[in-house]
Amino acid sequence: MVDKIKIENGCLVVTDNPIITYIEGDGVGQDIWKNAKLVFDAAVEKVFNGRKRVSWEEALAGKKSFDSMGSWLPEDTLTSIADNLVAIKGPLETPVGGGIRSLNVALRQELDLYACVRPVRYFNGIESPLKHPEQTDITIFRENTEDIYAGIEWEAGSDDVQKVIRFLQDEMGVSKIRFPETSSIGIKPISQEGSQRLIRSAIEYALENNLTKVTLVHKGNIQKFTEGGFRKWGYELAKAEYANELESGKLVINDIIADNFLQQILLNPDKFDVVALTNLNGDYASDALAAQVGGIGISPGANINYITGHAIFEATHGTAPDIAGQDKANPCSFLLSGCMMFDYIGWGEVADLIRSAIGKTFSQGCFTADLAKTTPYFTTSEFSKKLIENL
Ligand code: NAI
């Protein structure tokens, strides 16, 4: 029966024929989606032999949407994802100027997708700057709704910033603004609720995947109440809700200062299983970790609200205008995001099949142009065809 995915008592209910929203994306999104869909459908068919199948429902966003409907992000698209819970999307072009906010940010905010999840693992044969890139197998949980991304800022020289500075000096006794006449001011909100829902998701993920260590990454030595709060609330949550798991050793919670973390992922990446970070630290760490295993062309990602069940799985790269329409893009970031999606809906066998086929295809020396050390390289469609053979 074709049906919407639902959430009941905190668990997803997925029928044999679930509807999943897809947004093709702009630029290389169009090269990638048509091939990725073939891989997804072939893997589902291989695992379930016709018993299960995805019903893909297209929703428009980005340039494709603007060209056909005059809107960068139509209301119908939000409704489709809100109703179907699960979506997968290609990269979107955000128009520069004209007051249009980033479409990706808009989607995350509308659906309160508070956890940005990025598993970072190495595939044999991919070039990496590390001697032992295979030691990197870390899942990042980055808080997605707070921190400096709240966008609360006042520009130097404006009346507003002067008002804020006067308030800080006169009412709050702040005397440490070094150059009050020429300072811009930004606000960094970090809450107990926001931190704990993210850290709870990271712990649940670790337990479900038999991973022991959850590391809280923060800058609490300097920002005692915001970053320090994230750390403190993390430990409090673990103690209150996971006492048995902590006692049995099934779960270990520890923490590390963000700058040391960026050192340790290079020196001792095997120290980490799941890491939970505030928004800005998570931003830096995601790209650094992606680079360790071969770059954004193969890094998957998802933005998830584990409470409502809403989730958007997406490639982490952009529309790559320089290679768009040339059948040249690497589809792996998108495909691996699809694997995360299949894991999320409980079809882990499909995810495993695609992941091992990607590993096998790389080990046969088949790479798209971005990863090929020598020419000739595989086009997007040739690579995807090879992948299907390897399923
Ligand atoms: P980009 O990720 O599109 O491109 C950066 C470089 O990486 C380019 O050289 C490109 O050819 C290469 N590249 C990216 N994806 C690749 C793939 N799958 N295979 C092979 N090579 C790949 O970043 P850029 O140029 O900063 O952004 C271009 C557009 O994409 C902008 O409009 C931006 O707003 C948008 N964008 C959208 C994102 C999203 O929807 N999630 C994320 C990042 C950027």
Side-chain angles (χ1 to χ4, degrees):
M1 191 169 75
V2 178
D3 223 338
K4 293 183 194 307
I5 296 172
K6 294 195 195 85
I7 187 154
E8 281 171 14
N9 303 322
C11 293
L12 286 190
V13 180
V14 182
T15 63
D16 289 349
N17 202 181
I19 306 171
I20 292 180
T21 302
Y22 75 91
I23 296 171
E24 194 177 61
D26 298 320
V28 285
Q30 305 195 2
D31 300 305
I32 291 172
W33 165 253
K34 56 178 183 268
N35 289 294
K37 179 182 180 297
L38 296 176
V39 175
F40 294 151
D41 287 342
V44 170
E45 175 63 27
K46 183 109 188 162
V47 170
F48 296 119
N49 232 331
R51 282 183 293 113
K52 296 189 185 190
R53 198 169 61 80
V54 174
S55 287
W56 302 103
E57 179 176 292
E58 181 167 19
L60 294 178
K63 180 131 189 1
K64 183 175 178 187
S65 166
F66 185 75
D67 289 346
S68 63
M69 303 181 62
S71 163
W72 290 92
L73 184 59
E75 201 53 42
D76 284 355
T77 297
L78 286 169
T79 310
S80 169
I81 305 173
D83 284 357
N84 295 337
L85 288 192
V86 175
I88 185 161
K89 68 171 271 295
L92 296 175
E93 185 180 319
T94 293
V96 180
I100 296 170
R101 60 188 177 151
S102 157
L103 301 176
N104 296 305
V105 174
L107 282 167
R108 284 168 211 161
Q109 283 178 351
E110 289 289 336
L111 297 162
D112 191 22
L113 304 176
Y114 62 82
C116 174
V117 186
R118 300 236 180 133
V120 182
R121 63 166 282 209
Y122 176 71
F123 285 95
N124 275 328
I126 302 286
E127 209 155 297
S128 153
L130 296 193
K131 277 192 195 143
H132 294 290
E134 70 286 351
Q135 290 176 354
T136 305
D137 190 352
I138 300 175
T139 302
I140 303 170
F141 276 72
R142 167 185 169 193
E143 205 289 323
N144 229 356
T145 63
E146 299 196 297
D147 206 344
I148 57 154
Y149 292 77
I152 311 169
E153 269 199 315
W154 295 276
E155 192 181 0
S158 65
D159 288 346
D160 284 348
V161 86
Q162 283 311 320
K163 230 192 246 175
V164 174
I165 290 173
R166 270 199 305 277
F167 169 75
L168 291 172
Q169 292 174 327
D170 299 347
E171 311 265 329
M172 305 300 293
V174 171
S175 58
K176 290 183 187 157
I177 303 173
R178 182 70 186 82
F179 299 108
E181 295 306 315
T182 58
S183 287
S184 292
I185 297 278
I187 300 266
K188 175 186 175 91
I190 303 270
S191 69
Q192 178 179 4
E193 251 173 291
S195 301
Q196 289 189 332
R197 68 177 180 173
L198 184 272
I199 295 164
R200 186 181 292 109
S201 306
I203 293 175
E204 289 289 331
Y205 177 93
L207 293 173
E208 270 164 35
N209 290 281
N210 294 317
L211 300 166
T212 312
K213 286 168 280 181
V214 175
T215 305
L216 309 170
V217 183
H218 61 91
K219 195 68 191 156
N221 54 331
I222 303 297
Q223 298 168 307
K224 303 211 184 294
F225 302 123
T226 49
E227 295 282 329
F230 182 81
R231 171 187 178 275
K232 177 173 97 113
W233 294 318
Y235 279 117
E236 285 174 1
L237 169 92
K239 217 170 127 193
E241 297 182 16
Y242 300 95
N244 292 342
E245 290 82 353
L246 287 171
E247 205 180 300
S248 69
K250 203 169 169 223
L251 175 68
V252 173
I253 302 276
N254 55 22
D255 73 280
I256 186 167
I257 307 254
D259 35 309
N260 187 20
F261 177 67
L262 291 176
Q263 259 193 88
Q264 294 303 325
I265 53 176
L266 292 171
L267 301 173
N268 300 299
D270 53 345
K271 269 188 171 173
F272 306 100
D273 290 334
V274 177
V275 294
L277 307 96
T278 48
N279 207 339
L280 181 62
N281 291 333
D283 195 1
Y284 299 145
S286 301
D287 277 23
L289 274 163
Q292 285 185 205
V293 296
I296 50 173
I298 57 164
S299 301
N303 294 294
I304 304 177
N305 181 324
Y306 287 93
I307 301 161
T308 62
H310 287 115
I312 300 182
F313 297 83
E314 62 181 328
T316 53
H317 55 76
T319 59
D322 50 335
I323 55 166
Q326 298 172 33
D327 198 22
K328 223 174 157 181
N330 185 345
C332 290
S333 173
F334 192 82
L335 288 169
L336 290 166
S337 304
C339 293
M340 291 175 74
M341 181 188 77
F342 286 119
D343 279 331
Y344 184 72
I345 66 167
W347 293 12
E349 309 97 303
V350 177
D352 290 344
L353 188 65
I354 298 172
R355 273 193 285 256
S356 57
I358 290 176
K360 187 169 172 196
T361 308
F362 287 154
S363 71
Q364 292 167 339
C366 312
F367 297 103
T368 44
D370 54 318
L371 297 179
K373 289 166 206 136
T374 51
T375 45
Y377 59 83
F378 278 60
T379 62
T380 315
S381 38
E382 286 164 353
F383 182 87
S384 308
K385 202 166 154 229
K386 190 81 196 156
L387 203 60
I388 292 172
E389 283 166 27
N390 280 333
L391 284 174

